[in-house]
Amino acid sequence: MSHDFLQMHLKAVISCLLIFLYKVHTTKAGQFFSSGHTNNWAVLVCTSRFWFNYRHVANTLSVYRSVKRLGIPDSHIVLMLADDMACNYRNPKPATVFSHKNMELNVYGDDVEVDYRGYEVTVENFLRVLTGRLPPSTPRSKRLLSDDRSNILIYLTGHGGNGFLKFQDSEEISNMELADAFEQMWQKRRYNELLFIIDTCQGASMYERFYSPNLMALASSQVGEDSLSHQPDLAIGVHLMDKYTFYLLEFLEEVHPASQANMNDLFKVCPQSQCVSTPGHRTDLFQRDPGSVLITDFFGSVRKVEITKDTINLTSPVEPPIQRSGSGDIQIESLTYVDQLPVAEIIHQKPKQKDWHPPDGFILGLWTLILLVFFQTYGIKHLKHIF
Amino acid sequence: MAAPLTLLLIVAVTIRAVLFRSSLAELISERVEVVSPLNAWKRVVEGLALLDLGVSPYSGDVFHETPLMIYLFHFTVDYAEIVFMVSPYFVDCLSCLLASLDRAKIFRKQKYALESDRYPADCLELLRSPKEMFYIPLKVAMFYLLNPFTILSCVAKSTCGLNNAIIALFIFCTLKGSALLSGILLALATYQSIYPLTLFAPALLFFLQRLYIPVNLRRSSFWCFTLQYAFIYVGSLVVITGLSFFLLGSWDFIPSVYGFIFSVPDLTPNIGLFWYFFAEMFEHFRLFFICVFQINVFFYTIPLSIKLKEHPVFLIFMQIAIISIFKSYPTVGDVALYMAFLPAWSHLYRFLRNIFLVSCVLLACSALFPVLWHLWIYAGSANSNFYYAITLLFNFGQTFLIIRPLTRRRKHPGGFDNEVSCFKSSVWKSSLKS
């Protein structure tokens, strides 16, 4: 009897403790449950070729480096580079791609894995990677195997214009195509949240047509502005980086897997005084408040782990979940996916398409007129032959 | 006459049937010289499919046929091949008949003139012997049925064949003398594509000549008949347009059909003169040049009517030729229509100095069209200038083809009572000799 009493008492204490702990860490718990993603993916695309577009490859490789450093493995990164700068015969330092003057930072490294190289970087392949419509023979490293709990980072860089981005100097992708691709991804439940960063001229035009939920977008310049490159290197002979990505890289170098830096800090990267162009961002399609979104939600692969030294009895009934109070946290309204399989319609046969028929009045009118003309021309006397 | 005609019909049917069943049919129905956005069969099928889906066929820039065509094709879309095979025979039989009518008139006049000894000796070579003229209807039929242009147009199932049939019916009714039917059919032809409007003047002149009403602006009989005919024409046009409104319940077809013909928004290359010019036109000047180009089609009516007021049949031929050269979306089917009438004026051939040149130009251009198209679009080694050069040359050849008979006709009218001009020609010839 006392043993049962003790057990009950212990259970009560533990539950009170848990409730107390939960209440203390309400904001943290809120954040813990709020992001909703379980895995991270990154699609990093450099769309321009030729040696003088060295900086675009360096841009993409800088973001690649940061993303890998913060925890996303190569198996979850789709890296598309339109040209090979490291082994380009004009590179005075072969097997390197530098992002800083004075050869401070070699973003090529020893373990870079390029998934789409050279002429494989096309609009078609990019869209196929995003939507998942790849031929069955495509290897896993070239696929974006995301699910509805994936947070995806998409980074594009190259030469762009108002509403388009140029691929390989021969084709272009329009903002509408991109928006439709993202909508396909949403409909096929291929992402939980998506962060889209673009560093091109007039980059803001590429995200103005998005219409799917849970998208956040950043661009290095507004419509009508050019994104400028940062610094030429006299030894290599080309510009090494673009301004926006240079400051983005600087910012990301400060971020570590446990950092609490959030999106509002990212929006402040490279103001106009440093970048000359005005970076833009778009958050109206995003459900959460950007201030509560961690950088590592997209750039890192941070697993949500809570370490506890308490023993938790898994056989005891689970406490009912805490009702989150609205203090400081934005209520997340759950977004339902489109009802993709309306069973009721499928079970019943589709109604047969009604063929169009001309209206009766028309037929009547037309044939009356024809008969009138006929009798006018040939006279009434023919009537007696007919009847 | 019946036997050779039947043989001709059988041959023509065989050729078309063979081509319909072969793989060339799809190839031909995509050629830009044979189909235009106005009369492509693909677009008709598309429009009817849209109608079945409950959408107006004129939404989007795909369908440019008139509602009466919708009504016609709605029932015959499965038997399209038969419809298109029948329509050339329409044209052919009618042209046959009208050539024979023409011939009868010419015979009468000639006989009369001969008997009254009116023609000077030089003009004898212009007179057509009955034997020669016996074969003209057959020649006309042959020129139309076996013309490669007609065959191509028929195999491509372009509705140009139906438009030609309506115009041929109109000419037939005019020559028969039935003003009512002629007016109605002219209204129908104008309703199909606006350009047959210019045929109003020659038809009117023909009727006036037939009824012996002098073309004098002060005579009330002239105005009486003109108003009657105009009333029939305009009235039937209004009735047909109203009927079309009742078919689909909306006026969508007016901007889609007539707006399309006039404002030429589609600049797909064809054998006409509009596309290249308007592909390079700045927006600022577009309206002005549209007006210029469209007026060009209608402009020749008045001077030609004044000049040729005694030869309305020839005027009809001239007008059809001018329409098919200067219209906004010509195809080879339009060219075939006036070419079919060339044998009717075969007596002028010996006076055409450039027959060889003109026919070589036309043949060469017809052969070069697909070649340069392939070079431009597929091989990439030519550009639109090459194709347009051939278009220009083709139209130039056609213009030459029709202008020469006109000038020769003026000088050697042969057949109608124009002994004055015949006299003038003999004077001219004698002056040359001296």
Side-chain angles (χ1 to χ4, degrees), chain B residues 53 123 156-157 164 167-168 179 218 294 297 320 338 355:
Chain B
L53 286 170
C123 284
K157 294 197 272 232
N164 288 355
I167 295 179
R218 267 165 283 170
Q294 297 289 0
V297 184
I320 295 178
Y338 76 81
I355 278 257

Side-chain angles (χ1 to χ4, degrees), chain A residues 108-128:
Chain A
Y108 201 65
D110 293 328
D111 57 350
V112 61
E113 277 184 24
V114 182
D115 301 306
Y116 285 83
R117 63 195 66 213
Y119 286 108
E120 290 170 356
V121 178
T122 59
V123 173
E124 184 190 341
N125 282 350
F126 176 58
L127 291 176
R128 282 185 184 280

Side-chain angles (χ1 to χ4, degrees), chain A residues 134-146:
Chain A
L134 288 159
S137 55
T138 320
R140 282 180 77 91
S141 60
K142 284 185 156 169
R143 289 180 186 260
L144 177 66
L145 296 165
S146 55

